[in-house]
Amino acid sequence: MIISIDGPAASGKSTMARLLAKELCFYYVSTGLLYRALAYILSTHYGYSVATIGAPRQEDVAEALAKNNLSYFYKPETGAQLVFKGVDITQHLKTGVMDELSSRVSTNQYVRDSLLKFQREFSRKHDIVMEGRD
């Protein structure tokens, strides 16, 4: 089952989604955090900059999001965790630089389609409450 929460910025979407996921014993998925993870991976592992990240190569996006490369975990006690090639990258995702990089990468249609596919594959394995983009 998928429950999606949408609304304006600062309206409590994240808080509500986390509480609902905890109550229902579902996974909580922050789609914005997925964009940040992809931006982090593209910038640190593939050399993209603020100027170039809006047009990443499709091969780089596909490799970054491959099942054996990027994993998303969630526990109500500890929150979301993103692991790339066995390394927890979560602590690097909520910075000013990632704000800008994720904003720019999110304008790319291939990126949006790829992350939507990633989310759909994840939701086939788990009941989820999600909030954020798409």
Side-chain angles (χ1 to χ4, degrees), residues 78-92:
T78 56
Q81 178 186 29
L82 285 134
V83 175
F84 181 68
K85 293 186 176 181
V87 177
D88 185 350
I89 62 171
T90 312
Q91 67 183 354
H92 305 290

Side-chain angles (χ1 to χ4, degrees), residues 63-132:
E63 184 178 315
L65 296 177
K67 280 190 264 186
N68 56 334
N69 286 340
L70 183 63
S71 301
Y72 181 96
F73 303 98
Y74 180 75
K75 293 180 184 173
E77 305 80 31
T78 56
Q81 178 186 29
L82 285 134
V83 175
F84 181 68
K85 293 186 176 181
V87 177
D88 185 350
I89 62 171
T90 312
Q91 67 183 354
H92 305 290
L93 303 182
K94 293 195 176 180
T95 67
V97 172
M98 285 307 112
D99 288 348
E100 177 148 3
L101 290 172
S102 64
S103 177
R104 289 181 183 243
V105 79
S106 72
T107 64
N108 183 281
Q109 191 60 50
Y110 182 77
V111 165
R112 294 181 78 82
D113 293 343
S114 297
L115 277 170
L116 188 57
K117 180 181 175 189
F118 182 91
Q119 294 164 40
R120 285 182 176 152
E121 288 175 9
F122 187 80
S123 70
R124 287 186 187 109
K125 299 175 210 156
H126 306 281
D127 291 324
I128 61 172
V129 177
M130 63 179 6
E131 60 86 14

